[in-house]
Amino acid sequence: MQSAASLAPTDRANQQPDPATGDMLATRPHLSMHAVSGLLLGDVPLNAIADTLGTPCWVTGADILRSRYRELTGAMAEAGLPVSVHYAVKANDHLAVLRVLGAEGAGADVVSGGELRRAVQAGIAPEAIVFSGVGKSEDELRLALALGVGQINVESAEEIVRLSSIAAGMDRIAHIALRVNPDIEAGAHDKISTGRLGDKFGIDHRDILALYAQAAGLPGLRPVGLAVHIGSQIDRAAPFRAAYRRLASLVDALRAAGGQVGTIDCGGGLGVRYRDENGLSPRALAGAIRAELGDLGVRFAIEPGRWLVAPAGLLLASVLTVKRQRDGAPFVVLDAAMNDLLRPSLYGAWHGILPLSAAVAAGPLSPAHVVGPVCETGDSFARDRMLPELRPGDRVAILDTGAYGAVMSSTYNARPLAAQALIDGGRWACIRARQPVEALWRDETVPDWLQRADLPPLQDRLR
């Protein structure tokens, strides 16, 4: 069953009404509405950031990242679990985010050479990095071995053989975990489910015993355990417990055959509240690990991404125009678009939308379609959303965009990447300037035979 966050707007006819402004603020204590300053993240008025950096603009709260990391690690410690936390860099790879979480003690879970370099650049030690991913190139594996990453999660029989050859040729030992595909339906959106046999990820659980023994006999490899990741935005403990139960039986069988298993990477996937979901608490995840794997005498790793960073981020946008229709709700056209925040177009994902002005937010509600200016019908953030009247120039915050927001942005329609800001306590700083439009073609070249000497530079035409 899909969560409300993964349902397209037309699939919600029988859902409860969207949460009102007060409800969204009540469930997000880091946000508040000041009568004069408007919407605040922590102690910082978001209008102040928009005044300085313009819109669209991403905003991330460092204090929220720290608070959620501590809640997560506290739940694991309370359950008595020896756990290392490896932040899933794919959720939000900004160096400032990595620096904040790394300073809290987080390692990193990476899925590319670029993410690996980013994590190291941010100060995360290579030995605290797990390299996951179904398609690692030879260059990426060489980089991982050269840096000395703590663990490589292998995802196929072919990768085991290839990694052995590379590691032996470099005279290195690769500490590996075999990623198990447990054939578990996690209940999340189809595009973010990763633990079913029809998915591209992991090794069929029926092949683990043979491949673990094969890996143990190959040069350059040291199998240390198993890994699993069944999907994202999971809001029930049952799928985790089913996957971990399968891993426990595999550990028993591997040990009975003489295998050494000292680590289990439990993956990530904790769901968060976007609309009205319950999400899943860190205590519930810790309970699932404790119940199914706690007696195995192993060390654990987890790979949280969305749960740590989604609530810490906002996308600020301004209303460009309000397009009235003869029939139906008006289109509120923002200066943010699907090239900035792709999730609604890609997954039908629901994100809360709040005006930055307290006066506007207090107005009567009516349905509106909130869209972007990109030349695609799918460039839509919300349909028939109950909102106060918005006028050109009004600003809004699109909530819970800290995960899979800025990191998935593109420059489609020749739209430069938006600015980014970080709030830390009562201070804030720009952590990425708005991309200059000239940067969109700075690295492009035109062959000599297509050059035109009679065309003056663009800047001369704008004088």
Side-chain angles (χ1 to χ4, degrees), residues 30 40-46 49 58-67 70 95-101 103-104 312 420-431:
H30 50 281
L40 277 67
L41 179 61
D43 297 325
V44 176
L46 294 170
I49 297 177
W58 302 96
V59 182
T60 302
D63 288 342
I64 307 168
L65 299 175
R66 296 187 185 100
S67 174
R70 293 168 188 175
L95 292 177
V97 170
L98 297 176
R99 184 67 61 88
V100 169
L101 292 173
E104 289 294 306
Q420 293 190 44
L422 182 77
I423 293 176
D424 198 352
R427 59 188 175 181
W428 71 271
C430 177
I431 58 173

Side-chain angles (χ1 to χ4, degrees), residues 44-326:
V44 176
L46 294 170
N47 268 317
I49 297 177
D51 286 344
T52 303
L53 299 182
T55 58
C57 176
W58 302 96
V59 182
T60 302
D63 288 342
I64 307 168
L65 299 175
R66 296 187 185 100
S67 174
R68 292 183 75 81
Y69 182 85
R70 293 168 188 175
E71 181 182 350
L72 179 64
T73 54
M76 298 297 157
E78 187 179 284
L81 297 172
V83 174
S84 59
V85 177
H86 303 270
Y87 166 62
V89 174
K90 61 181 175 289
N92 186 326
D93 67 3
H94 196 287
L95 292 177
V97 170
L98 297 176
R99 184 67 61 88
V100 169
L101 292 173
E104 289 294 306
D109 171 71
V110 303
V111 295
S112 73
E115 287 188 351
L116 173 54
R117 290 178 183 273
R118 270 187 174 271
V120 173
Q121 178 68 26
I124 296 175
E127 57 268 25
I129 296 176
V130 173
F131 197 165
S132 303
V134 69
K136 309 176 193 75
S137 71
E138 181 173 331
D139 286 345
E140 288 173 326
L141 291 173
R142 288 184 179 279
L143 175 65
L145 291 167
L147 288 173
V149 301
Q151 180 174 299
I152 298 175
N153 290 346
V154 296
E155 302 220 15
S156 67
E158 293 80 4
E159 185 180 5
I160 290 172
V161 173
R162 188 158 53 99
L163 180 57
S164 169
S165 175
I166 295 169
M170 295 177 64
D171 197 24
R172 297 293 180 103
I173 298 295
H175 293 79
I176 67 169
L178 273 63
R179 177 172 173 175
V180 180
N181 186 318
D183 195 22
I184 298 297
E185 174 58 68
H189 191 287
D190 182 66
K191 292 183 179 180
I192 54 175
S193 294
T194 60
R196 306 162 301 185
L197 289 185
D199 298 325
K200 69 179 181 179
F201 298 97
I203 298 168
D204 188 322
H205 61 91
R206 295 167 294 187
D207 298 330
I208 291 294
L209 270 67
L211 289 179
Y212 204 92
Q214 177 186 350
L218 289 174
L221 301 184
R222 181 172 299 159
V224 296
L226 301 177
V228 70
H229 180 73
I230 58 174
S232 187
Q233 189 56 8
I234 301 169
D235 58 7
R236 298 177 299 122
F240 286 113
R241 293 195 61 165
Y244 299 157
R245 198 175 303 127
R246 178 143 280 166
L247 260 64
S249 66
L250 287 171
V251 171
D252 289 341
L254 286 168
R255 287 175 171 171
Q260 302 295 312
V261 182
T263 298
I264 295 182
D265 185 338
C266 298
L270 273 175
V272 301
R273 185 188 190 98
Y274 286 106
R275 185 177 181 268
D276 54 6
E277 310 92 323
N278 292 323
L280 192 69
S281 72
R283 285 186 174 181
L285 178 62
I289 296 172
R290 174 84 263 176
E292 304 298 341
L293 302 170
D295 296 330
L296 294 178
V298 297
R299 286 199 58 81
F300 299 103
I302 54 175
E303 303 167 4
R306 182 194 308 271
W307 193 89
L308 287 173
V309 297
L314 304 167
L315 176 59
L316 306 184
S318 298
V319 177
L320 294 176
T321 188
V322 178
K323 181 180 177 181
R324 308 289 174 183
Q325 298 192 89
R326 184 185 298 271

Side-chain angles (χ1 to χ4, degrees), residues 228-456:
V228 70
H229 180 73
I230 58 174
S232 187
Q233 189 56 8
I234 301 169
D235 58 7
R236 298 177 299 122
F240 286 113
R241 293 195 61 165
Y244 299 157
R245 198 175 303 127
R246 178 143 280 166
L247 260 64
S249 66
L250 287 171
V251 171
D252 289 341
L254 286 168
R255 287 175 171 171
Q260 302 295 312
V261 182
T263 298
I264 295 182
D265 185 338
C266 298
L270 273 175
V272 301
R273 185 188 190 98
Y274 286 106
R275 185 177 181 268
D276 54 6
E277 310 92 323
N278 292 323
L280 192 69
S281 72
R283 285 186 174 181
L285 178 62
I289 296 172
R290 174 84 263 176
E292 304 298 341
L293 302 170
D295 296 330
L296 294 178
V298 297
R299 286 199 58 81
F300 299 103
I302 54 175
E303 303 167 4
R306 182 194 308 271
W307 193 89
L308 287 173
V309 297
L314 304 167
L315 176 59
L316 306 184
S318 298
V319 177
L320 294 176
T321 188
V322 178
K323 181 180 177 181
R324 308 289 174 183
Q325 298 192 89
R326 184 185 298 271
D327 300 305
F331 288 98
V332 176
V333 185
L334 304 181
D335 60 359
M338 64 184 290
N339 73 289
D340 300 301
L341 178 62
L342 184 59
R343 295 188 72 252
S345 298
L346 185 62
Y347 303 128
W350 193 96
H351 286 270
I353 300 174
L354 291 177
L356 265 57
S357 163
V360 172
L365 305 180
S366 59
H369 306 320
V370 183
V371 301
V374 156
C375 194
E376 298 281 350
T377 301
D379 182 23
S380 174
F381 296 115
R383 292 191 64 83
D384 291 313
R385 183 71 60 88
M386 297 301 291
L387 291 169
E389 183 179 3
L390 293 168
R391 296 184 174 92
D394 286 340
R395 293 167 176 163
V396 298
I398 303 178
L399 308 183
D400 306 312
T401 60
Y404 307 106
V407 75
M408 295 178 76
S409 296
S410 75
T411 58
Y412 183 50
N413 276 193
R415 293 171 49 85
L417 297 175
Q420 293 190 44
L422 182 77
I423 293 176
D424 198 352
R427 59 188 175 181
W428 71 271
C430 177
I431 58 173
R432 186 179 71 185
R434 189 172 310 282
Q435 186 181 34
V437 69
E438 295 82 5
L440 298 179
W441 58 81
R442 185 173 295 148
D443 297 327
E444 298 178 18
T445 58
V446 177
D448 292 342
W449 64 86
L450 296 178
Q451 298 288 353
R452 286 185 58 184
D454 61 323
L455 289 179

